[in-house]
Amino acid sequence: MTEREKQIVNEAIAELETIMEVSLGQMAKDLVKSALGRSVRTKDPMFWPAGMLLLGLAEARKRAVPDGEEGLVGKIDEAFLGHIRLWKEKYDKKISYIDDALAGVAFIRLYEQLEEGRLRTECRSIADGIYKYLLGAARDGEETIVYNADRSACNVFADGIGQTSMFLSAYAKAFGVDDARKLARLQLKNFLKHGMDERSGLPYHGYALLDDGAICEKRGVLSWGRAAGWLIMGLSEYVKGSESRLENQGSTLVQWYRELSKVLLTYQKPGGGYGWQVQAVDGHLDTSATGMIVYGLLNGAGAEGADVEASLQALLTNADGGKVTNALSSCDDFGVHYQNYGAYPWGQGAALAALSLGNVEE
């Protein structure tokens, strides 16, 4: 692990430790955004921005162990324990959104690395709780888990499909729960059927089944970078569990993962990385989309190392003192993408996760 990668790890730990701290100025901004109908930060320490940091740290830990980085491993373990304490003491161990599934993947990753102890037990307990929550989550007429069900009973987002299918696939593989894998397969197959653009082979941000499912309306920006990232991350985890289970239903998704990987590789920006909207290769770099897409490519072996080397280098180049910059700001809804770029936890975590699976020299 290079010195710059260690800096990225330390920055991710620092961001995780303060992720629930909100200044008075930010509170005021949230009030204004809420009044305008825009999304605001949640009171959920397992929400996906924290989940992305946790995933990055779990993958970094896995790499740090064989490198003999005992001190770094200890710091990562303490960061996980500290976040669990925060969640228990101030938030009553509540799982509030399907987005929490991403954090669940990180806890499963850590569980698999540990042999025994309290932290391992905590990881399993949290994963079980998230699985139980997902089983009771709202679904549409085809049993697809709905995103932000309190806002709409029919919107399916690539975000939710990627988050839940990734968790369910990891949970099934780690704990031998076949029903979890079946549910992951259903989520992905439904998005393949309804959420893709046939001409380009790229995903829309999502879709909605209307008129009792008689009409399917594709929604959001075609090939939004993070939507593609969510999808390839979920698919990659499912594919990892297909190595010894090439069932007929699974082979369709394995083939889709390979095809989507090839399509995404053709849209790398000339200087490496991916734009905020994948097809906009001349548009602004988005390090969060880049990290997510590259992670998905590497996690399921959808790309050879040389294919993503430029993207990994772009992530390192945009890590100033360990803080990853040039990540696109949060998305408020279908088609609502404010062109603000900076340092955000989702960019930090996604870059760390991708770099931990890759191999790039400074």
Side-chain angles (χ1 to χ4, degrees):
M1 185 174 287
T2 67
E3 287 304 313
R4 189 175 302 188
E5 287 171 321
K6 292 177 189 176
Q7 289 178 337
I8 296 172
V9 171
N10 286 321
E11 175 62 28
I13 291 172
E15 291 188 20
L16 182 66
E17 290 175 344
T18 59
I19 197 165
M20 300 307 293
E21 296 177 7
V22 183
S23 67
L24 291 175
Q26 286 297 327
M27 288 181 185
K29 290 180 181 179
D30 285 348
L31 285 173
V32 173
K33 289 170 68 176
S34 180
L36 294 174
R38 293 172 57 184
S39 64
V40 296
R41 72 191 74 245
T42 72
K43 295 180 179 180
D44 175 13
M46 295 297 183
F47 203 55
W48 72 268
M52 197 69 83
L53 288 171
L54 289 165
L55 178 64
L57 289 170
E59 296 292 9
R61 185 189 190 280
K62 188 175 182 179
R63 182 171 173 182
V65 170
D67 287 351
E69 299 285 353
E70 295 180 3
L72 201 60
V73 170
K75 289 180 67 174
I76 292 172
D77 288 354
E78 280 301 315
F80 268 86
L81 283 168
H83 201 69
I84 293 170
R85 282 195 299 271
L86 173 72
W87 176 61
K88 283 184 171 182
E89 294 172 4
K90 292 190 176 181
Y91 300 91
D92 197 28
K93 301 189 297 184
K94 188 176 181 181
I95 302 297
S96 303
Y97 303 94
I98 65 172
D99 307 67
D100 297 3
L102 182 63
V105 177
F107 285 109
I108 292 172
R109 291 280 196 272
L110 187 55
Y111 173 90
E112 292 175 321
Q113 294 176 44
L114 299 168
E115 295 183 0
E116 58 183 12
R118 181 168 65 90
L119 182 53
R120 189 172 196 261
T121 301
E122 294 278 18
C123 289
R124 175 64 195 265
S125 177
I126 294 169
D128 288 342
I130 292 173
Y131 180 55
K132 182 179 179 181
Y133 178 86
L134 292 181
L135 290 180
R139 306 186 195 185
D140 69 8
E142 293 187 348
E143 292 298 302
T144 311
I145 296 173
V146 176
Y147 194 80
N148 284 341
D150 57 336
R151 293 190 190 181
S152 170
C154 60
N155 282 338
V156 174
F157 282 66
D159 314 47
I161 295 298
Q163 293 156 1
T164 59
S165 64
M166 190 179 186
F167 171 81
L168 291 165
S169 298
Y171 188 85
K173 187 175 181 180
F175 307 121
V177 183
D178 287 341
D179 284 346
R181 182 169 174 78
K182 290 176 183 177
L183 186 54
R185 180 169 66 234
L186 179 64
Q187 304 310 299
L188 291 166
K189 287 183 70 177
N190 286 348
F191 199 94
L192 174 61
K193 179 167 62 173
H194 297 302
M196 300 298 290
D197 176 57
E198 185 175 348
R199 182 177 298 181
S200 67
L202 291 166
Y204 280 85
H205 192 176
Y207 66 87
L209 298 182
L210 308 174
D211 193 18
D212 293 328
I215 300 173
C216 176
E217 182 177 275
K218 292 177 172 62
R219 293 184 169 178
V221 174
L222 174 62
S223 76
W224 176 45
R226 286 206 294 264
W230 287 124
L231 204 56
I232 200 72
M233 287 173 71
L235 271 168
S236 71
E237 197 69 21
Y238 184 88
V239 167
K240 283 172 62 176
S242 299
E243 295 170 359
S244 60
R245 302 182 181 198
L246 294 178
E247 65 267 31
N248 290 334
Q249 300 98 320
S251 63
T252 300
L253 297 179
V254 171
Q255 184 61 32
W256 180 28
Y257 171 69
R258 292 171 179 163
E259 292 172 354
L260 182 58
S261 296
K262 290 178 182 177
V263 170
L264 289 172
L265 284 167
T266 67
Y267 285 105
Q268 284 179 300
K269 291 170 64 63
Y274 288 87
W276 79 274
Q277 193 260 2
V278 170
Q279 291 172 307
V281 292
D282 294 324
H284 202 294
L285 170 72
D286 177 10
T287 51
S288 62
T290 299
M292 293 168 71
I293 291 170
V294 172
Y295 179 85
L297 292 171
L298 293 172
N299 188 47
E304 297 296 329
D307 292 327
V308 296
E309 184 175 351
S311 292
L312 291 169
Q313 191 62 56
L315 292 173
L316 278 179
T317 300
N318 284 275
D320 183 12
K323 185 184 286 291
V324 177
T325 59
N326 277 316
L328 180 67
S329 58
S330 61
C331 166
D332 277 1
D333 205 338
F334 285 132
V336 185
H337 309 275
Y338 302 98
Q339 295 298 292
N340 299 318
Y341 297 87
Y344 299 100
W346 46 90
Q348 189 75 27
L352 178 57
L355 288 164
S356 297
L357 293 191
N359 185 19
V360 61
E361 296 182 2
E362 293 191 62

